[in-house]
Amino acid sequence: MITVTEATATAATLKRLSDEGVSIWLDDLSRKRIESGNLAELIATRHVVGVTTNPSIFQAAIGSGEGYEEQLADLAERGVTVDEAVRMMTTQDVRAAADILRPVYDATGGQDGRVSIEVDPRLAHNTAATIAEAKQLSWLVDRPNVMIKIPATKAGLPAITEVIGLGISVNVTLIFSLERYREVMDAYLAGLEKAKAAGIDLAGIHSVASFFVSRVDSEIDKRLAKTGTDEALALKGKAALANARLAYEAYEEVFGADRWTALATAGAHKQRPLWASTGVKDPAYKDTLYVDELVAPGTVNTMPEATLNATADHGDIHGDSVTGGYAGARADLAAVEALGISYDEVVKQLEDEGVSKFEAAWGDLLDAVATSLRGKGVEGE
């Protein structure tokens, strides 16, 4: 456990980050983290005010089996299907985490204290099924501080509008491109307008837009390295930050326009940008790069625990590091394009890979649970 002295020393940087208007969310969840008191400890000592999950996180947690043995035995005894078993386990974890974070939710008027759970990634290209799944997950978790994660695929956009229109809070995930991000914000506003027309209180609806960061550098850096010129190598590590900064510029534009003002007057909340995939993939870069350089008011940074600990230990929070950097960001992306690296091609590839990775992780999770159920005497079909 973290001592009081250690907590005070390591919390200073995280407090500075929080004071700059960045909500710190943990990008991880497991039964062990909940039951050991670790999540509550991070809330108390590390300024953590939210939790995000995804299929890969649940695959790692439930695939290990640790903490799930009793529930698996009960589910096997009931003869439930594998899909039902997975949803029972994941929603139980999200429900428990939401209860732990409920005081934060209450204290922040619903802005933070949030826990996100994703629709089945196999539904990413099916609008109607995504909507049905989002409604079912909201009902299953049954906590006001849950957010349903919907991927920002073309099929996901109308689903976002419909689900927001029902008054369900949404975390839009797997956003890589600036064009798609604007479409996501438009889908959110359309959903609010739909909810308003239905007489739903807009003050109860919250949303974040998860804009992925490190994967952009991973792919573009690989292409820059292949180009191999000094000019190309000098651009490594710049594209992801440039992309994110221009996303924030788009956010400022959309939520500064008349369409938004009309909704704000009715009690609506802005859809906050959430920096996702903030764990640094290249060891040549500082491990807090995507935290230090993406500080802006009204944002969320969801971090794996290693990044959270690194930020607490040696993060360099020096005020707003996003606004005012838009011209430089545009120049960096233009320089990458000038080398023959297509931005549109990269972000399309990353979206496709993102959906595929989550589908694969979900498949691995189903396989692991099926094996566990069979080992306890049922087929788990």
Side-chain angles (χ1 to χ4, degrees):
M1 300 289 280
I2 301 170
T3 68
V4 174
T5 302
E6 289 172 333
T8 302
T10 59
T13 302
L14 296 173
K15 183 178 187 304
R16 284 198 297 274
L17 182 61
S18 180
D19 288 346
E20 289 291 340
V22 179
S23 291
I24 301 167
W25 290 8
L26 178 70
D27 193 28
D28 191 49
L29 187 64
S30 68
R31 188 73 50 88
K32 180 181 178 182
R33 190 182 289 283
I34 293 165
E35 295 182 346
S36 68
N38 173 261
L39 177 57
E41 182 179 27
L42 292 176
I43 294 166
T45 65
R46 295 292 175 104
H47 293 271
V48 168
V49 293
V51 168
T52 49
T53 68
N54 62 46
S56 298
I57 285 170
F58 280 129
Q59 190 275 326
I62 298 174
S64 73
E66 189 171 4
Y68 297 93
E69 297 89 350
E70 182 178 348
Q71 188 177 14
L72 275 166
D74 288 344
L75 292 168
E77 189 67 33
R78 290 171 54 205
V80 302
T81 66
V82 174
D83 282 87
E84 184 182 359
V86 166
R87 273 312 184 204
M88 288 293 183
M89 289 187 285
T90 56
T91 54
Q92 180 170 321
D93 282 356
V94 169
R95 192 179 305 114
D99 288 344
I100 293 168
L101 279 156
R102 182 59 187 265
V104 176
Y105 170 84
D106 291 336
T108 61
Q111 176 168 270
D112 288 312
R114 295 282 177 172
V115 186
S116 298
I117 184 169
E118 191 150 346
V119 297
D120 186 329
R122 295 171 297 182
L123 307 178
H125 301 296
N126 185 325
T127 301
T130 293
I131 294 167
E133 171 92 340
K135 290 161 64 177
Q136 175 73 358
L137 284 175
S138 179
W139 178 83
L140 274 173
V141 176
D142 192 26
R143 294 295 184 272
N145 49 332
V146 70
M147 274 188 170
I148 308 304
K149 291 180 80 173
I150 297 176
T153 57
K154 276 294 186 184
L157 295 172
I160 293 160
T161 295
E162 184 66 26
V163 174
I164 290 290
L166 294 171
I168 298 171
S169 294
V170 172
N171 176 341
V172 183
T173 189
L174 290 176
I175 307 171
F176 295 94
S177 82
L178 296 168
E179 179 183 2
R180 182 56 53 82
Y181 178 43
R182 286 185 179 273
E183 291 175 334
V184 165
M185 289 188 284
D186 182 72
Y188 174 62
L189 296 180
L192 289 176
E193 289 160 349
K194 192 166 184 146
K196 182 182 177 184
I200 296 172
D201 182 6
L202 302 189
I205 304 172
H206 287 258
S207 183
V208 294
S210 297
F211 200 85
F212 279 54
V213 185
S214 66
R215 295 187 195 181
V216 174
D217 269 344
S218 294
E219 181 58 35
I220 289 182
D221 282 1
K222 182 171 65 178
R223 299 182 184 212
L224 290 169
K226 187 175 181 180
T227 301
T229 64
D230 290 343
E231 181 185 11
L233 297 178
L235 288 168
K236 289 183 68 178
K238 293 186 176 181
L241 292 175
N243 201 36
R245 286 169 178 153
L246 293 178
Y248 192 80
E249 181 186 40
Y251 158 77
E252 289 185 309
E253 290 175 3
V254 169
F255 290 99
D258 291 344
R259 184 184 183 190
W260 166 247
T261 302
L263 290 165
T265 301
H269 302 280
K270 294 179 180 178
Q271 181 186 57
R272 291 184 293 169
L274 178 151
W275 310 128
S277 183
T278 56
V280 170
K281 305 287 195 295
D282 189 333
Y285 302 152
K286 184 182 178 186
D287 53 3
T288 61
L289 176 67
Y290 303 124
V291 179
D292 297 349
E293 298 302 327
L294 290 176
V295 177
T299 60
V300 179
N301 195 311
T302 187
M303 311 176 202
E305 190 169 13
T307 304
L308 177 70
N309 290 337
T311 302
D313 182 65
H314 52 264
D316 179 19
I317 308 304
H318 48 273
D320 187 338
S321 53
V322 173
T323 59
Y326 305 142
R330 269 189 286 275
D332 285 340
L333 289 186
V336 170
E337 284 271 4
L339 293 172
I341 298 172
S342 169
Y343 173 86
D344 290 340
E345 180 184 307
V346 167
V347 294
K348 175 65 167 63
Q349 176 183 322
L350 290 173
E351 179 185 308
D352 292 344
E353 288 177 352
V355 172
S356 295
K357 286 176 181 178
F358 281 169
E359 284 179 343
W362 196 252
D364 290 343
L365 173 56
L366 292 171
D367 289 345
V369 170
T371 299
S372 295
L373 292 174
R374 281 196 297 271
K376 297 179 187 305
V378 301
E379 288 303 311
E381 296 173 354

